Amino acid sequence: MGTALAYAAQAAILDEVPVGAVIVSAEGRLLAGAGNCCIATNDPSGHAEIRALRTAAEKISNYRLPGTTMYVTLEPCPMCATALLLARVERIVFGATDPKTGGIQSVYRIGSDGCLNHRFTVTSGVREKECSHILKDFFQQRRRKKERQEPFFCCQRN
């Protein structure tokens, strides 16, 4: 999870939502890691999990990633949870829950609800305080920036 947190910190520096993800092989070898990069790439699928999946799949020359574990700082959204399922990732380990859009535990239960043909095991709350803290700090700073900006007036003032 430490490496995923480092990727999240890199994303924050780039003014991206600070989420980091890594994929580890069954043997414990790091296959890929990434941070969010939606804004810089103008890519709505530029989530850390998707980027890490793409890199890992390319590295092993297979779109399926059996036996792998993904460590991610925030509970994956439904898009990412489904991609993890389709890639046949075996285990998901995440830090902070996402009560608004969580796709694995908080809102939806993709991968454990029995509705699809693959399941993964889930471990949540790993280094949860650190994972939550980096997100809270990022959004607090963003709100402060917004408050400091001069208001925009559409009409000319006298």
Side-chain angles (χ1 to χ4, degrees):
M1 190 62 79
T3 306
L5 279 161
Y7 278 107
Q10 288 176 357
I13 290 167
L14 299 172
D15 213 24
E16 300 276 354
V17 175
V19 176
V22 296
I23 298 180
V24 177
S25 72
E27 300 78 35
R29 187 172 46 109
L30 179 67
L31 295 176
N36 272 1
C37 197
C38 298
I39 298 166
T41 59
N42 296 311
D43 181 2
S45 70
H47 292 201
E49 300 95 323
I50 301 294
R51 296 179 69 224
L53 282 171
R54 286 178 180 150
T55 302
E58 189 174 314
K59 187 171 193 172
I60 67 166
S61 300
N62 191 347
Y63 73 104
R64 297 278 168 94
L65 303 168
T68 59
T69 299
M70 173 168 279
Y71 294 86
V72 59
T73 57
L74 179 66
E75 177 182 1
C77 70
M79 173 184 70
C80 293
T82 303
L84 290 162
L85 193 79
L86 294 172
R88 302 297 193 262
V89 171
E90 185 175 309
R91 182 174 175 227
I92 313 298
V93 178
F94 69 87
T97 57
D98 186 349
K100 292 183 180 179
T101 62
I104 291 183
Q105 191 175 50
S106 299
V107 180
Y108 302 99
R109 296 202 176 271
I110 297 167
S112 64
D113 60 9
C115 294
L116 300 166
N117 63 338
H118 177 70
R119 291 189 175 114
F120 39 66
T121 59
V122 176
T123 304
S124 61
V126 175
R127 296 178 72 173
E128 183 175 12
K129 286 183 183 178
E130 293 169 83
C131 294
S132 295
H133 186 69
I134 194 169
L135 286 159
K136 287 177 185 174
D137 281 354
F138 175 80
F139 286 111
Q140 281 177 345
Q141 288 176 11
R142 187 176 262 186
R143 281 190 294 276
R144 280 190 215 121
K145 258 189 221 176
K146 211 173 199 179
E147 289 168 0
R148 286 192 301 257
Q149 290 175 350
E150 212 171 295
F152 173 77
F153 294 100
C154 62
C155 302
Q156 196 172 29
R157 297 177 115 191
N158 294 332

